Amino acid sequence: MYAASSSVSVPTRTHRPQVGGGPYLDPTHGGRARRAAPGLGPQPVSGRLDLSGPQGAQLRTALASVHRICPEFNPVQVLRRSGRSVLLVGTTGRSSAVAKCLLDHSPAWAERFRQEIGAYRAFVRHRPPVRVPRLIAADPDNCTLVVERMPGRVAALQRYPTEPPPRADIRAALGAICRINAWRPPAGRFEAPIDYAARLARYHELGLLTDRDMGDLQKLLHGLAHAPGRQGRGQFCHGDAQLNNVLLSPAGAALVDWDHAGWYLPGYDLATLWTALGEAPAERRHIAAQAQAGGPVARDAFLVNLMLVLTREIRTYETAVHRTMTDPAPVPPGAVSAGEEQRLLLRRLHDDCALARRAVRAAVGTR
């Protein structure tokens, strides 16, 4: 009999020490850690509030957008700036707040920003079963958002921690994620961010999935579509359940960064968290067992999600490795280059995908 819980569990790996000890890097930020999320507590901010020069003009425009919807916002420092958005920490009265402004108003990014605003607005009337930042002000037309800055420490600073986080931190994050997954917000408040069939077809066309992968996943999707009741159809998910989107404090775990929230096949958040915990095999086994405890339907949904998430990450990091190779950055003596760290992560993602592929084939064989 197919053992669902063990099929996507990895054996304990020998830790590969890295010269320089740097984290796996976010491919979208040129070798820096993944962006900070609204609500970070005592984490150091990334820069001072400098309004001079061309970037200062961009920052002044963002501040004008914030003050139109929240005149009392007093900016203190830049928390994060990228080509797409800027994040400012400041105060509103006696409270600490975070303002987020979109800089890249292309249709895809603007729509994603509006989805995040929609999530925070929905939380005003329909409080989720976990702590989330309180909405202060929002302007979906100009893609500007102001929320409270929540206290707490981030569960992990990197998207892919090289050292396993404390077990208690992972379990606290997992508990918050599972409470969100069990929540049923009112109909019409959230949409389904992913068209599974279309997304898998796209990855197949790009050569990221083989013909057999596509056939196996289509069989699982077909079975899920005909599953009785709601079991194989929809589960409310955060959509980006990484540890760096979880804040931990004595009051409990809080989730931030809700721009991917919506209805997914069951187990999407758990597949995302499983993917990030390559250095914590025992916690992976626990997550896999929990995700598939609902029987064959829950198992199939988790495996489809796992293949989708891993394939997306492989595509992202393959692009990053290629970009780093064509435009390498200077590396200090004794340090590990961004490209090398990305290649190490990419190798691990390919190993995980092979593991998930075998589990998918075993699942199809039991149908």
Side-chain angles (χ1 to χ4, degrees), residues 20-109:
Y24 288 130
L25 303 176
D26 182 350
T28 62
H29 291 82
R32 292 173 297 193
R34 186 177 183 268
R35 61 186 173 86
L40 288 184
Q43 185 176 353
V45 294
S46 60
R48 63 187 177 88
L49 196 62
D50 183 3
L51 300 179
S52 62
Q55 289 191 338
Q58 193 178 57
L59 194 56
R60 289 195 297 272
T61 300
L63 281 172
S65 298
V66 173
H67 286 147
R68 277 196 294 269
I69 61 172
C70 187
E72 67 274 22
F73 181 78
N74 179 34
V76 176
Q77 286 180 301
V78 175
L79 192 63
R80 186 265 302 167
R81 181 196 297 221
S82 70
R84 297 191 179 102
S85 63
V86 61
L87 210 62
L88 301 168
V89 62
T91 59
T92 54
R94 296 183 178 181
S95 302
S96 187
V98 171
K100 181 178 180 180
C101 301
L102 191 66
L103 302 177
D104 178 0
H105 287 264
S106 59
W109 286 104

Side-chain angles (χ1 to χ4, degrees), residues 178-212:
C178 289
R179 289 195 297 276
I180 277 292
N181 295 160
W183 187 46
R184 307 293 296 187
R189 292 291 182 179
F190 295 92
E191 299 181 355
I194 293 178
D195 181 332
Y196 279 83
R199 182 72 61 87
L200 293 173
R202 182 184 179 191
Y203 289 161
H204 180 239
E205 291 174 0
L206 292 172
L208 298 168
L209 295 173
T210 67
D211 291 344
R212 181 170 180 180

Side-chain angles (χ1 to χ4, degrees), residues 47-333:
R48 63 187 177 88
L49 196 62
D50 183 3
L51 300 179
S52 62
Q55 289 191 338
Q58 193 178 57
L59 194 56
R60 289 195 297 272
T61 300
L63 281 172
S65 298
V66 173
H67 286 147
R68 277 196 294 269
I69 61 172
C70 187
E72 67 274 22
F73 181 78
N74 179 34
V76 176
Q77 286 180 301
V78 175
L79 192 63
R80 186 265 302 167
R81 181 196 297 221
S82 70
R84 297 191 179 102
S85 63
V86 61
L87 210 62
L88 301 168
V89 62
T91 59
T92 54
R94 296 183 178 181
S95 302
S96 187
V98 171
K100 181 178 180 180
C101 301
L102 191 66
L103 302 177
D104 178 0
H105 287 264
S106 59
W109 286 104
E111 177 61 25
R112 179 169 157 181
F113 199 100
R114 294 183 183 113
Q115 288 175 356
E116 185 172 13
I117 290 176
Y120 282 114
R121 284 180 167 175
F123 295 157
V124 173
R125 289 192 175 186
H126 309 283
R127 298 296 296 176
V130 299
R131 296 167 60 238
V132 299
R134 176 179 57 87
L135 176 66
I136 297 174
D139 180 359
D141 293 329
N142 291 312
C143 295
T144 305
L145 173 67
V146 183
V147 297
E148 71 170 319
R149 190 182 192 210
M150 302 190 71
R153 60 180 177 83
V154 68
L157 294 177
Q158 295 86 31
R159 185 176 182 88
Y160 289 99
T162 55
E163 296 291 338
R167 179 180 180 183
D169 290 358
I170 296 175
R171 294 296 173 93
L174 180 60
I177 291 167
C178 289
R179 289 195 297 276
I180 277 292
N181 295 160
W183 187 46
R184 307 293 296 187
R189 292 291 182 179
F190 295 92
E191 299 181 355
I194 293 178
D195 181 332
Y196 279 83
R199 182 72 61 87
L200 293 173
R202 182 184 179 191
Y203 289 161
H204 180 239
E205 291 174 0
L206 292 172
L208 298 168
L209 295 173
T210 67
D211 291 344
R212 181 170 180 180
D213 290 336
M214 194 64 184
D216 288 343
L217 291 169
Q218 285 176 333
K219 290 176 183 177
L220 295 186
L221 282 176
H222 179 79
L224 292 169
H226 294 83
R230 299 181 305 188
Q231 189 179 11
R233 298 178 185 175
Q235 180 186 72
F236 183 73
C237 293
H238 176 276
D240 192 20
Q242 301 283 348
L243 291 178
N244 54 359
N245 284 329
V246 180
L247 299 177
L248 302 174
S249 75
L255 297 179
V256 299
D257 203 358
W258 289 88
D259 50 335
H260 292 89
W263 296 97
Y264 295 79
L265 287 178
Y268 184 87
D269 279 346
L270 298 184
T272 301
L273 185 58
W274 187 97
T275 300
L277 294 175
E279 303 300 331
E283 296 308 310
R284 275 189 160 188
R285 286 190 287 270
H286 178 76
I287 291 169
Q290 184 160 338
Q292 303 175 80
V297 173
R299 173 202 67 191
D300 293 354
F302 175 68
L303 292 176
V304 170
N305 284 318
L306 194 57
M307 282 294 293
L308 186 145
V309 170
L310 285 167
T311 305
R312 180 198 66 204
E313 295 295 289
I314 287 172
R315 183 189 181 201
T316 299
Y317 278 89
E318 283 182 342
T319 302
V321 168
H322 175 74
R323 184 170 61 243
T324 305
M325 291 177 64
T326 56
D327 186 21
V331 181

